[in-house]
Amino acid sequence: MSCLFCRIIAGEIPSSKVYEDEAVFAFRDINPQAAVHVLVVPKEHIESADAISADNSSRVAAVFEAIPKVAAICRLTNGYRVITNVGEDGCQSVKHIHFHVLGGEKLPENMGN
Ligand code: 5GP
Ligand code: ZN
């Protein structure tokens, strides 16, 4: 298995787990970009948001059902940001769809640069 996040989900690579259910795994980003920075991923591999289809969108829905739970666990009571990077121009470095949940402080207004 070559995908980094598939290996983290399988427990082959250690991570700081925040939340897990049958379809979703959430863990702290190794290089946090905010006071709280969690990655929320479907356990079944999807390459990116550009690969979402009717066949796999229920796995993405499960991620979005998990995000409020992650936010509650991390006490993000004052709001947070959810980001997914896609492909080269989106600066996606890991090719397993993941949603960055950022918060725990006031985030910059500017998202694009
Ligand atoms: P991307 O740039 O693809 O949107 O986000 C990938 C994220 O994965 C980056 O924020 C990076 O810090 C994080 N990351 C890369 N390798 C690891 C790792 O081995 N463990 C954890 N917890 N996060 C990682
Ligand atoms: Zn994967």
Side-chain angles (χ1 to χ4, degrees):
M1 191 194 303
S2 60
C3 171
L4 173 64
F5 287 175
C6 282
R7 295 184 69 191
I8 285 176
I9 292 160
E12 293 175 16
I13 295 173
S15 69
S16 176
K17 183 171 82 174
V18 172
Y19 171 84
E20 180 176 16
D21 63 32
E22 61 281 359
V24 178
F25 197 80
F27 55 103
R28 294 192 189 276
D29 197 292
I30 205 168
N31 181 27
Q33 304 291 311
V36 173
H37 186 173
V38 176
L39 302 172
V40 190
V41 308
K43 286 185 172 176
E44 283 190 48
H45 185 95
I46 299 171
E47 180 161 321
S48 78
D50 201 50
I52 298 171
S53 68
D55 288 338
N56 62 24
S57 60
S58 63
R59 295 183 239 159
V60 181
V63 168
F64 276 84
E65 289 177 32
I67 284 173
K69 299 175 186 174
V70 169
I73 291 164
C74 296
R75 297 187 176 81
L76 301 179
T77 53
N78 206 37
Y80 53 94
R81 182 172 288 160
V82 181
I83 294 174
T84 191
N85 294 324
V86 182
E88 191 69 25
D89 281 2
C91 297
Q92 181 185 5
S93 60
V94 179
K95 305 296 192 263
H96 180 131
I97 192 170
H98 51 282
F99 295 85
H100 299 259
V101 174
L102 300 150
E105 62 183 323
K106 181 75 172 173
L107 299 169
E109 286 188 25
N110 201 334
M111 287 189 292
N113 55 17

